[in-house]
Amino acid sequence: MKNSFEYAALAPIVVLLGAGVFSILIEAFVPRTSRRICQLFLVLGSLALSFGYVLINATKTLVGDPATNGGQTHGLRQFAVNGATVIDGAGLFLQGTLILIAFVAALLLAENQVDPQGDAFAARSSTLPGSEDERQFTAQGWTQTEIWPLFLFCVGGMVLFPVANDFLTMFVALEVFSLPLYLMAGMARRRRLLSQEASLKYFVLGAFSSAFFLFGSALIYAVTATMNFGQVSIALENAGQDTLVITGIGMIAVGLLFKVGAVPFHQWTPDVYQGSPTALTAFMGAATKVAAFGALLRVFYVAFGGMRWDWRPMFWVVAILTMLIGSILAVTQTDIKRMLAFSSIAHAGFLLLGVIATSASGLSSSLLYLFAYGFTTIGSFAVVSLVRDAAGEATHLSQWAGLGKKSPVVATSFALFLLALAGIPLTSGFTGKFAIFTAAIDGGATPLVIVAVIASAIAAFFYARVIVLMFFTEPPVDGPNVVIPSWFTKIAIGVSVAVTLLIGVFPQPLIDLIVSSGIFAS
Amino acid sequence: MLTILMLIPLLGSIAVFALPAARETLAKQIALGISIVTACGAVFLTTRLSGLGGGFAVTEKHEWIPAFGISWSLGIDGIAGVLIVMATLLVPLVIIAGWNDVEKIGRGTVKGFFSLILILEVFMIGVFAATDLFLFYVFFEAMLVPVYFLIGRFGGPQRAYAAMKFLLYSLVGGLFMLASLIGLYVVSARQLGQGTFDFFALANMSIDPATQKILFLGFFFAFAIKAPMVPFHTWLPDAAAESTPGTSTLLVGVLDKVGTFGMIRILLPIFPEASKYYTPIIIILAVISIFYGALLAIGQTDMMRLIAFSSVSHFGFIVMGIFAMTSQSMSGATFYMVNHGFSTGALFLVVGFLVSRRGSKKIEDFGGVSKVAPVLAGVFLISGLSSLALPGLSSFVSEFLVLLGTFSVYKDVAIIATFGIVLAAFYILWMYQRTMTGVPSTEVTETVTEITKRELAAIVPILAVIIGLGIFPQVALKVINPTVNQIQTHVGLFDPVASTTPSESGS
């Protein structure tokens, strides 16, 4: 077999990983005072360049006829690196979504005017929390620019994850984007113990789930003698209901369902969401969900699409549990970040409906939902990072009382994000939910949609409760203030608001784009 | 045309909101002017309906989200037409009646209040005019937002609780409707190849009865909460009692009509089989509503709550009329919707005048008002008599039609329901006796003054409509009857006896 490496097709990934390496060199050779500005230019520049390559790949003339290409009408549709990756319309859309989300998240991570001590990350995360060293580094105004290479590797891994076309590449991508996340989760400037606890939990459970994924891949390899999704699919048609196959599918599902935060693999979510620096939570909550669902969709549509009658019952149970438990537990939360974490679990449940549908409309509705959800999530956590008192972020719900009176603009944007999460019409959340519910009913999952509606009703309660708290209660006397951020956060929130509204009111262009990207190539 | 009619209050709302907060009088004047223009426009558009034989007039259709079969489609038939006229006529009167409400409350801004009312007017027109079910749903839910803020920001002491309860009840109902709506979309996708929300396309499909029965429930649940029917009514007394009188008028007078409007205009044409199947249960619920609402109204000590419960009883009559499915009962029910809007509006506004003087909504705090403010008491009496359907007033015609129409198919039900009228006379006249007659206490003499010119300007047009439609009901029935007959034909039902509807042109 001739080895090939299609640089043009992989350019978006290569640019990001290359920039990550370059970013480490900046850490090594650029003086401390000018590192931040160099890193910012590098990160934003490489994201923009990478997005440019995605655009170039997406606008190339399609080789062949749309009818034989799963409905894709333009752009690349080819295997790269001997079939280890596949660049197709849906993959390009996911890459583009991830890079846009990463761009907005990078702006949030760059914010350094909200906290009087500096940015959201510890001055020196190697120092012990509460130690004299920590105090001195903080007093000198050190910042940890090492987050930028980590961030770039993470985004690079994520952009590879949904276009990986064999289990091994997918596993590598999984680790490339997970490890930096474990690290960054533990580097919060405030409440460092909580942050380190979150990091450790995320790491231990994440490693555990990665092992499941790897073990499952090995079992599938044992039966099919291949790692490639397309070949696995063909081999499974002949293999039939083998115990090894079912176990393998189950273990791979465990690994991926952990990443998306589905019940019963969700326990890490609230702790990690709460403990991580909020700007990172925004990135993780939005981008991990997109990348992981992209991969989940590809694996279960392409590799295990023919086995859907075997894995669907399991996914039904997981989806019902995820939607209900996510919504019910969110009601009992008193911390805004934990509440949003449980809401993200419920949303993972809704997204599973798109996986269960296993149809063209299931895929396109999931992509729409992911795009909409990603921006809403970033926006809502961006707002959370602005509500602060002397000790840092004020995340207890009672501290949010009367926010609408203190800062109507911020409270209104947060209300918009909550309405979008609740799925109220004219917000992006509604468009996504509508598309995914329709696809699920079309795919014969009507009972699931009924559960989803009940879960939405429960969820509406706690979203509305926060809105009531912000607008209809008197602010506490020593309550927190809404900090005026720099342009970084302002742009991030502004973009999120604009996307949430636009996709709610005029979704047609985006839908056209998604439909024209067709289904996964196999 | 209808889009322009909606653009007028929308632009007005933006203009009012953009004003500096200090220009309060200007904000009120702009709001009033805009609402009067809108009302004239609505009356003008409704005149286009004459001679159409029950079809839709001033229709328009623009693609919105073709991928989901959603379009911006508007149009009015007889039912939508009279309800839009009713809604747009009430808005300027509510603005006049609530001229000084915001200053009295001392919370929120004047421009905020009036721009919310105007934005609510946009949605009210939209929800009645939408001929695309998704668009209907959007307006149905969008209405919640201004009302939520009107109650939550400008309401009484329990406003947060009332606003929340209102929002959650409506949202839950809306979500069930959404589920059914998606189901309907899927059914249409299977039958027509491409899914659609277009009302006409959906009404012309023949859906399998078993599916109809399921989808019907989602819509009915939302409409029953909105209407409100027992046992889904408990949000209404709280919301009505905590709002300003103007908000209560729009809430009970117009918004709740969306529930009964949906029953006659969406449930009957799209789910004819299911509508017939569920008729017995719904009629029983309607009768329970009539008596439960009336009995609880008798027991109330708070005037706003009393009117709210009386509305529950009235909505029972409306629902009964719709599901009796004779041409008389359905025409009567539609006409009832219009009359109830005006008579309940009048009651809320007059009680609002009383409350603003005495500072209390309790019946026991009044007494002998007719001695100190005879005109106010007179206005109160006429509004009350309209609510209890005194012959000669418009509500009598509609109530009579509903009972007559129901009698021709369900004799026992009609006879039982007639006793509801007796109860209505009891709670209205008893409230009048306790508040208006007798010897005025010193507090009443000191605080209650005669009705002002502004208040008269708000209430007299309503009373004029009530008396006018009582004498010439044909004005409205001529518009309503053709549409009702068409719906009846569509459902496939015919009157058991020859129609004796007072209008000649329709039947």
Side-chain angles (χ1 to χ4, degrees), chain A residues 104 124 169 194-195 279 291 296 341 344 360 427 432 449 457 482 491 502 512-513:
Chain A
V104 179
R124 260 279 157 275
T169 314
L194 201 64
S195 168
L296 189 66
S344 90
T427 64
V449 174
V482 175
I491 293 173
L502 264 182
D512 287 342
L513 177 69

Side-chain angles (χ1 to χ4, degrees), chain A residues 368 424-426 430-431 434-435 437-438 441-442 453 456-457 460-461 464-465 467-468 471-472 505-508 511, chain B residues 64-68 134 137-138 141 148-149 152-153 160 164 167-168 171-172 175-176 178-179 182-183 185-186 190 197:
Chain A
L368 180 67
I424 303 296
L426 304 189
F430 176 79
T431 313
F434 178 79
F437 287 5
T438 312
I441 292 184
D442 234 0
V453 169
S456 302
F461 170 75
R465 194 178 59 164
I467 296 180
V468 171
F471 287 98
F472 300 120
V505 184
F506 298 111
Q508 189 63 34
I511 295 170
Chain B
W64 181 11
I65 310 176
F68 298 162
F134 180 82
Y137 174 78
V138 165
E141 297 282 51
Y148 177 66
F149 284 107
R153 206 157 257 204
M164 192 68 189
L167 190 72
L168 285 184
L171 272 181
V172 169
L175 280 168
F176 277 93
L178 174 64
I182 295 177
Y185 174 85
V186 172
R190 284 193 189 137
F197 286 100

